[in-house]
């Protein structure tokens, strides 16, 4: 693997160009930015919105954190169970049904920006919004790879175990075994279309095969 430092600004420019080049027709694109919370995948997804819009691409932002299962399922084995965090928290069915499947060719493009509020443990009651043809869905979250989600481009934000532990707040360190399991079992670096090393999110580096 070759690891090449890149500025955050250049990274966003490169990704926006790569996304824009993916479709030459009216196809809607589904792009995922995957990474641990400490890698801040939401920040990279947010940063891509304006450059894509400037390229004439309508954009919708969705966070996997808005598609969690109810507390009765998430906390069935306790509030700090790493295996449940890895396996059970994400409501993959709702994410497929309400966001990804409507963007398939021939779909109506109507998506739900959020589904479940983990704080109130109730439906967010969000209204449906439309992603027009040639639009781009930017999805961020953790453990998104290896789930057979229909995505046109996947970006994984990789961190070494030491960097992840250093940047994870003390109250969230119970999640570290889940991220290690994801790294070992799913190997997101191998699955992602593009991997970015973010030992320090302010100083990213592209990871490319030699």
């Amino acid at each position: 693997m070759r690891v090449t430092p890149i500025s955050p600004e250049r990274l966003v420019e490169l990704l926006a160009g790569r996304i824009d080049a993916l479709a030459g027709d009216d196809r809607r694109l589904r792009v995922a930015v995957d990474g641990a919370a400490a890698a801040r995948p939401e920040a990279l997804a947010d940063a891509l919105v304006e450059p894509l819009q400037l390229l004439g691409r309508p954009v919708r932002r969705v966070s996997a954190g808005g598609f969690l299962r109810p507390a009765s399922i998430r906390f069935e084995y306790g509030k700090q169970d790493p295996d449940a965090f890895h396996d059970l928290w994400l409501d993959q069915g709702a994410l497929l049904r309400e966001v990804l499947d409507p963007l398939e060719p021939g779909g109506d493009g109507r998506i739900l920006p959020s589904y479940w509020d983990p704080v109130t443990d109730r439906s967010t009651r969000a209204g449906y919004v439309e992603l027009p043809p040639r639009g781009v869905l930017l999805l961020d979250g953790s453990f998104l790879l290896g789930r057979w989600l229909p995505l046109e481009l996947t970006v994984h934000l990789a961190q070494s175990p030491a960097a992840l532990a250093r940047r994870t707040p003390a109250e969230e360190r119970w999640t570290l075994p889940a991220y290690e399991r994801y790294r070992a079992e799913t190997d997101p670096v191998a699955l992602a279309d593009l991997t970015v090393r973010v030992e320090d999110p302010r100083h990213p580096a592209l990871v490319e095969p030699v």
Side-chain angles (χ1 to χ4, degrees), residues 117-138:
D117 185 334
V119 176
T120 63
D121 201 34
R122 294 180 180 179
S123 167
T124 62
R125 299 187 181 277
Y128 285 90
V129 296
E130 183 178 356
L131 181 65
R134 298 189 75 252
V136 178
L137 167 76
L138 293 172

Side-chain angles (χ1 to χ4, degrees), residues 34-102:
D34 171 74
R40 303 191 62 220
E42 75 287 350
L44 179 55
D46 287 344
L48 286 166
V49 173
E50 185 176 358
L52 286 169
Q53 290 174 334
L54 290 174
L55 290 169
R57 296 282 185 180
V59 178
R60 291 292 183 186
R61 276 284 288 113
V62 170
S63 240
F67 287 82
L68 300 185
R69 289 191 168 100
S72 60
I73 297 175
R74 298 198 317 274
F75 303 147
E76 182 179 358
Y77 302 100
K79 292 188 175 182
Q80 296 187 349
D81 185 279
D83 288 328
F85 179 56
H86 180 281
D87 295 337
L88 300 177
W89 280 38
L90 180 65
D91 191 337
Q92 182 172 329
L95 187 62
L96 283 165
R97 182 179 67 251
E98 305 293 356
V99 180
L100 299 176
D101 287 349

Side-chain angles (χ1 to χ4, degrees), residues 16 20 35 46 56 62 71 78 81 104 108 138 146 149 169 186 197 205 208:
D20 186 51
D46 287 344
V62 170
D81 185 279
E104 290 280 357
D108 62 13
L138 293 172
L149 297 176
T186 302
R197 184 163 291 282
E208 301 170 288

Side-chain angles (χ1 to χ4, degrees), residues 14-22 27-34 48 52 100 136-139 144-145 149-156 191-195:
L14 182 151
L15 285 174
R18 182 160 176 175
I19 293 166
D20 186 51
L22 279 176
R27 186 162 60 115
R28 300 176 177 94
L29 300 175
R30 297 159 292 189
V31 177
V33 182
D34 171 74
L48 286 166
L52 286 169
L100 299 176
V136 178
L137 167 76
L138 293 172
L139 170 69
L144 296 177
L145 302 181
L149 297 176
L151 300 162
E152 279 66 54
L153 184 71
T154 55
V155 181
H156 175 64
L191 291 180
D193 296 307
L194 185 69
T195 294

